Amino acid sequence: MKTRVLMFGWEFPPHIAGGLGTACLGLTKGLAKQGVEVLFVMPKASGDEDQSAAKIINASDVEALFDVVDVEEYWKNINFMEIGSNLIPYMDPEHFEKEVNERVKTGQREERIGFKNKYTFSGKYGANLMEEVARYAIVAATIARQQKFDVIHAHDWLTYAAGIAAKKVSGKPLVIHVHATEFDRSGENVNQLVYDLERQGMLAADRVITVSNLTRNIVINRYGIDSAKVVTVHNAVDFQSYKDMDVEKGVKEKVVTFLGRITYQKGPEYFIEAANKVLKAYPNVRFVMAGSGDLMNRSIRRVAKLRIATHFHFTGFLKGQDVQKMFAQSDVYVMPSVSEPFGISPLEAMRSGVPTIISKQSGVAEVLKHALKVDFWDVDALADAIYGLLKYPALSRMAGRCGLEEVNTLKWENAAYLLKHIYEEVKQN
């Protein structure tokens, strides 16, 4: 009998802010090939989502019924209405401040959900994020009452409360998917509210899926979760829509690229310091920082202070075809993340044949043999690796060729196969 999964996410391509939406699409496509039917719930659907592998349910279209259990009870100890904090690093401080000011200026205050009311979610990572997380849980309970399914699957902390609410009203098993933890996002300066939501989700879950063994260890050791119910399922990458590009470079120099959010987690400062060292030995190179984030202004100031601005470029946030164009122009790709639960961008770079350097502190390091690996903090080793790939063409060609062969074996179908078996296990318990 076909398994039916009620899946909760926060974003889905083509409108995404990071790797979470990309992973959700890859997994749903893989599950469809395994014969698993997915109902994918998101706060705000745009109508142009890919529904070939999953039926999209728009939470903004659902009338929330208050006879669906005491979901409000779940929130009684949480003051979520007035949270003013940049909780997720998809929004830089300037955008966040603008968002908050806009709400204050316009007096924007949504009414609380009443009986048979709809709530229009923004579906973004904005100033009222915690309010939306709480409302999403209330709507999730309604959806769980209305739909038929065998298993609940909740992606990332934003949807854990929704998953718990759905489990309460349906009695169905809950699987939660940890794509990142608060320790990855904030280091040791954790937001206690987010940590508590994460831990509640993990405790309530029948199975916890982590995207790497690195993340699995954090879940067990930092959240106190029973290791018997924590399973690693590595991410993959979908290259079906990927087109090989022949792009005119525009510059004669070699190009070394950092692509990701310019935030603590991604280690942009180590990239800049390594660039400074490389330029002293190999001046015929340009460094590109593609992305945006809360450390962008500081990074620009540091580049100016080091006097390497003529060899350094900031592109801002890139998505879709622009990402592929950037890789097509790159000679080396670097991901010096301080803490990376997995990291899909190195796989995308390797698919373009770009020699890749990653930090040992990344989940993707567990599955890649043909990427150069350094400790994120070892700027000298990172500079040496970049210099080696720029200076020695044979090394660069071998890294590019072997990387391409390797990354083509990492398929979402393999991850979905493991997921299907996890669903079968929790259904039987």
Side-chain angles (χ1 to χ4, degrees):
M1 188 174 167
K2 185 182 275 192
T3 299
R4 202 168 202 230
V5 179
L6 181 63
M7 191 174 282
F8 292 97
W10 202 259
E11 58 180 43
F12 202 79
H15 306 285
I16 60 172
L20 179 60
T22 304
C24 288
L25 178 60
L27 285 170
T28 55
K29 283 185 172 181
L31 287 168
K33 290 180 181 176
Q34 299 288 334
V36 176
E37 192 177 339
V38 177
L39 301 170
F40 191 93
V41 185
M42 57 191 299
K44 186 175 184 178
S46 301
D48 55 352
E49 288 81 11
D50 184 345
Q51 298 204 39
S52 60
K55 180 191 173 187
I56 302 290
I57 297 176
N58 185 1
S60 295
D61 285 343
V62 176
E63 291 182 341
L65 308 175
F66 261 130
D67 63 347
V68 289
V69 292
D70 56 342
V71 180
E72 290 269 284
E73 184 76 5
Y74 177 70
W75 296 99
K76 68 180 180 181
N77 295 321
I78 299 177
N79 176 20
F80 62 82
M81 297 302 291
E82 295 295 338
I83 298 293
S85 146
N86 184 7
L87 285 166
I88 201 155
Y90 292 147
M91 183 178 283
D92 59 45
E94 289 80 8
H95 281 108
F96 182 72
E97 186 178 0
K98 183 180 172 187
E99 182 96 5
V100 174
N101 289 341
E102 193 64 30
R103 292 184 80 220
V104 172
K105 189 170 67 181
T106 60
Q108 184 186 345
R109 265 309 275 265
E110 298 84 357
E111 295 301 315
R112 282 183 173 275
I113 296 179
F115 184 73
K116 282 201 170 183
N117 264 349
K118 291 181 182 177
Y119 174 71
T120 302
F121 293 88
S122 72
K124 295 178 181 175
Y125 304 95
N128 61 335
L129 182 61
M130 291 309 299
E131 182 181 342
E132 295 212 338
V133 167
R135 290 180 186 274
Y136 192 44
I138 294 167
V139 177
T142 301
I143 294 168
R145 241 323 144 75
Q146 295 170 342
Q147 300 291 337
K148 289 185 179 176
F149 54 92
D150 305 296
V151 180
I152 303 156
H153 188 151
H155 289 280
D156 221 35
W157 71 271
L158 296 156
T159 73
Y160 292 169
I164 293 170
K167 180 177 180 176
K168 280 187 175 182
V169 303
S170 68
K172 299 294 184 182
L174 169 64
V175 173
I176 72 156
H177 209 131
V178 183
H179 295 265
T181 69
E182 182 59 8
F183 293 98
D184 298 307
R185 289 183 290 267
S186 307
E188 294 302 317
N189 301 313
V190 298
N191 181 302
Q192 192 61 42
L193 181 55
V194 176
Y195 174 88
D196 291 343
L197 279 171
E198 288 179 327
R199 189 163 186 272
Q200 285 172 17
M202 293 171 191
L203 290 170
D206 298 88
R207 202 66 93 247
V208 178
I209 297 170
T210 57
V211 293
S212 63
N213 291 323
L214 183 82
T215 305
R216 182 176 185 269
N217 290 334
I218 293 173
V219 166
I220 294 166
N221 298 321
R222 305 300 292 265
Y223 292 83
I225 305 303
D226 180 5
S227 60
K229 74 173 187 179
V230 188
V231 184
T232 295
V233 176
H234 288 108
N235 279 341
V237 67
D238 182 10
F239 293 126
Q240 285 186 334
S241 61
Y242 208 94
K243 297 182 183 119
D244 288 317
M245 290 186 177
D246 188 18
V247 177
E248 186 65 41
K249 210 168 176 185
V251 294
K252 294 176 183 176
E253 298 93 336
K254 297 282 182 73
V255 174
V256 179
T257 300
F258 168 108
L259 189 144
R261 295 192 309 280
I262 305 177
T263 191
Y264 161 81
Q265 178 191 355
K266 302 292 183 181
E269 57 265 76
Y270 302 103
F271 180 71
I272 293 168
E273 300 306 322
N276 186 43
K277 288 178 180 290
V278 171
L279 283 164
K280 288 172 182 171
Y282 194 100
N284 193 34
V285 58
R286 293 187 186 225
F287 290 84
V288 176
M289 191 166 273
S292 61
D294 60 332
L295 293 186
M296 186 165 183
N297 288 343
R298 193 168 96 180
S299 297
I300 292 170
R301 287 196 298 270
R302 181 60 181 159
V303 166
K305 189 173 182 180
L306 291 170
R307 301 191 175 185
I308 57 172
T310 55
H311 291 268
F312 214 102
H313 304 268
F314 292 87
T315 69
F317 180 71
L318 300 182
K319 61 181 179 180
Q321 294 286 306
D322 289 336
V323 172
Q324 292 184 32
K325 284 178 186 173
M326 191 65 249
F327 286 139
Q329 297 182 70
S330 301
D331 296 283
V332 178
Y333 174 70
V334 181
M335 186 186 77
S337 296
V338 173
S339 178
E340 186 72 51
F342 189 75
I344 288 178
S345 59
L347 305 184
E348 295 174 323
M350 291 165 79
R351 175 60 183 80
S352 298
V354 182
T356 297
I357 304 166
I358 58 178
S359 73
K360 293 177 183 176
Q361 291 72 25
S362 62
V364 75
E366 297 168 15
V367 297
L368 291 178
K369 294 186 180 70
H370 295 288
L372 278 68
K373 300 168 192 173
V374 299
D375 288 306
F376 73 85
W377 45 262
D378 195 340
V379 174
D380 290 327
L382 178 55
D384 287 344
I386 295 170
Y387 177 82
L389 289 171
L390 293 173
K391 181 77 174 175
Y392 304 108
L395 176 63
S396 179
R397 282 195 300 271
M398 186 189 77
R401 185 183 70 250
C402 294
L404 177 58
E405 290 170 5
E406 180 175 40
V407 82
N408 279 330
T409 66
L410 301 174
K411 299 184 184 300
W412 284 115
E413 288 93 320
N414 301 338
Y417 175 79
L418 297 173
L419 272 186
K420 184 182 178 184
H421 281 272
I422 291 167
Y423 294 155
E424 297 298 332
E425 282 177 16
V426 296
K427 275 167 64 179
Q428 291 166 10
N429 289 346

